[in-house]
Amino acid sequence: MAMADMRPPIESGCPDGFQYMHPTMRRNFGLWKYHTDPKPGVLRHVAESGEEIFTVKAGTQRILDIFSLRELTAIGDEFADGYIRFTIRSNIEYYVTDEAKVDPLIKALEDKGYVVGGTKNSVTSLSHTQGWLHCDIPGTDASGVVKSMMDELIDEFKAWNMPNRVHITTSCCQINCGGQGDIAINVQHTKPPKIDHAQVSNVCERPSVVARCPVAAIRPAMVDGKPSLEVDEKKCICCGACFPPCPPMMINDAEHSKLAVWVGGNHSNARGKPTFQKLVASAIPNNPPRWPEAAGIVKLILKCYKEDARDWERVGEWVERIGWPRFFELTGLPFTKYHIDNWRGARASLNASTHIRF
Ligand code: SF4
Ligand code: SF4
């Protein structure tokens, strides 16, 4: 085929972000000299050229309705040259080159009920997985957990009270897109799946369900003359991986699907390997609409961290320094046999670094 006849590629990924950037940021891309933090929720970046730009950060409810979006963008048009950005933690950022507009912008946001903060050593907005809204396997509504927990932590969002930044995450199942965080609230199933045998042959592709189990606990079986599946409950680690390919393997349960709190996770960066979070509280009731038990444990951990950690220590670094026994002493959380990871398969099958192994 001649070159002239070739069709252009279809670009279906993210659009180029430069077109949405504030012109001052575009002009000074890669040429920033330093930044300062004038007050909670505000950053001031100064470029080599002497130009400066202020970023004002506000928390949002993440699942945004069209009315809130219009309200937020109208504030951007009035006070911030029409440029906004959403962060991965559901904060909205406005960019302002005129310092005199910073305080009126903050006032406009606060008058509409938005909270300005989330910078420097604060507890920034919680990130969460999609929950009931978008996914077919959640064991709880992560966005609900986040909303109720951020309501409890609002003062920590607005102030610089923590030894360092705190990132909190929630995830609504145990296996897929859940996040790592300084503190993570994750679903914890505590019973093997209950199988609706009448449905399995209609709905499930049995070999793919068998292949899905990480501990080989699922076997094909005939039940009442119909092809179905059975689970070796001694092997089952209640991970929930069999539920997405086979909904009749119901694992969600109002009583036995619980929450667990993990501490000390961090992604790798230029200075260090990723750190894995460790379980500190398990079998917490999954108790909507305000999840008071889980919120109480998170607040307790934050209180101990605030009182005991040194400046600049992240939660995981603080626990590494004082040791896990002291962490359990300080927080008063019970240490049980369920905190001990005795699954030996992890040594061979889990990657502990980003290096590719063959
Ligand atoms: S954490 Fe699990 S249930 Fe929640 S959105 Fe991700 S895959 Fe779905
Ligand atoms: S819950 Fe997990 S471990 Fe248990 S049978 Fe299903 S896939 Fe296997």
Side-chain angles (χ1 to χ4, degrees):
M1 188 191 292
M3 282 297 276
D5 295 329
M6 287 179 76
R7 65 162 177 78
I10 298 166
E11 299 293 355
S12 51
C14 278
D16 179 4
F18 272 80
Q19 61 188 308
Y20 305 120
M21 256 189 217
H22 192 289
T24 305
M25 297 181 107
R26 262 199 309 254
R27 270 198 303 279
N28 296 290
F29 183 76
L31 299 170
W32 298 100
K33 200 169 172 189
Y34 65 92
H35 82 270
T36 57
D37 298 86
K39 60 169 88 170
V42 182
L43 303 167
R44 171 176 162 260
H45 283 86
V46 180
E48 301 280 358
S49 63
E51 283 191 292
E52 56 182 30
I53 193 161
F54 294 83
T55 305
V56 176
K57 183 183 282 208
T60 74
Q61 61 269 48
R62 177 160 184 185
I63 308 292
L64 281 171
D65 58 281
I66 193 74
F67 304 103
S68 308
L69 264 176
R70 286 198 175 126
E71 198 167 71
L72 288 165
T73 48
I75 292 173
D77 283 339
E78 191 176 347
F79 297 96
D81 310 334
Y83 288 89
I84 58 162
R85 178 182 92 96
F86 282 95
T87 72
I88 54 168
R89 291 190 164 261
S90 321
N91 297 304
I92 185 168
E93 288 184 346
Y94 295 91
Y95 302 105
V96 188
T97 42
D98 180 359
E99 188 173 2
K101 286 188 180 168
V102 170
D103 285 335
L105 168 58
I106 294 173
K107 182 167 182 322
L109 285 164
E110 288 179 344
D111 286 350
K112 295 283 183 191
Y114 296 96
V115 197
V116 174
T119 57
K120 219 178 160 192
N121 49 331
S122 61
V123 178
T124 190
S125 282
L126 277 68
S127 67
H128 69 77
T129 52
Q130 306 305 326
W132 304 145
L133 270 179
H134 300 261
C135 192
D136 57 356
I137 52 173
T140 190
D141 181 21
S143 41
V145 178
V146 163
K147 173 70 177 79
S148 46
M149 213 154 286
M150 278 315 292
D151 286 351
E152 301 267 342
L153 299 175
I154 189 167
D155 293 332
E156 301 300 352
F157 180 81
K158 291 197 286 189
W160 293 334
N161 282 334
M162 291 289 153
N164 201 338
R165 280 183 90 52
V166 180
H167 285 163
I168 304 181
T169 63
T170 66
S171 69
C172 39
C173 80
Q174 214 168 9
I175 48 169
N176 286 343
C177 60
Q180 284 269 73
D182 293 307
I183 302 175
I185 302 119
N186 293 345
V187 159
Q188 178 186 41
H189 299 298
T190 59
K191 289 269 189 216
K194 277 185 231 146
I195 306 177
D196 180 350
H197 293 288
Q199 293 299 328
V200 170
S201 59
N202 299 335
V203 180
C204 313
E205 206 176 292
R206 291 189 305 159
S208 38
V209 187
V210 170
R212 200 72 183 264
C213 181
V215 292
I218 308 176
R219 287 189 293 260
M222 293 296 284
V223 179
D224 298 331
K226 281 186 165 181
S228 186
L229 297 160
E230 66 182 8
V231 170
D232 180 344
E233 297 197 353
K234 284 205 187 108
K235 279 188 182 172
C236 174
I237 54 171
C238 309
C239 68
C242 48
F243 178 67
C246 186
M249 297 194 69
M250 178 52 77
I251 190 146
N252 289 336
D253 181 285
E255 190 189 340
H256 297 293
S257 290
K258 308 273 191 185
L259 296 182
V261 174
W262 301 67
V263 159
N266 217 338
H267 295 292
S268 58
N269 58 29
R271 282 165 299 170
K273 290 208 296 186
T275 54
F276 281 104
Q277 53 201 16
K278 296 191 173 61
L279 179 75
V280 297
S282 64
I284 306 162
N286 182 14
N287 192 4
R290 302 302 295 182
W291 290 272
E293 299 86 355
I297 290 172
V298 169
K299 282 166 73 179
L300 174 67
I301 295 168
L302 284 174
K303 178 174 168 288
C304 298
Y305 167 63
K306 191 155 73 171
E307 287 170 2
D308 197 60
R310 294 179 184 154
D311 286 353
W312 303 109
E313 273 179 338
R314 294 286 289 257
V315 173
E317 292 164 344
W318 162 61
V319 183
E320 282 302 315
R321 177 173 60 80
I322 63 171
W324 288 99
R326 181 81 183 126
F327 170 86
F328 282 97
E329 256 172 53
L330 280 176
T331 55
L333 293 169
F335 183 81
T336 68
K337 64 179 181 178
Y338 300 109
H339 290 83
I340 297 167
D341 181 0
N342 60 359
W343 187 54
R344 297 174 69 108
R347 292 177 196 175
S349 64
L350 293 185
N351 257 341
S353 82
T354 51
H355 296 97
I356 295 170
R357 295 184 300 186
F358 297 98

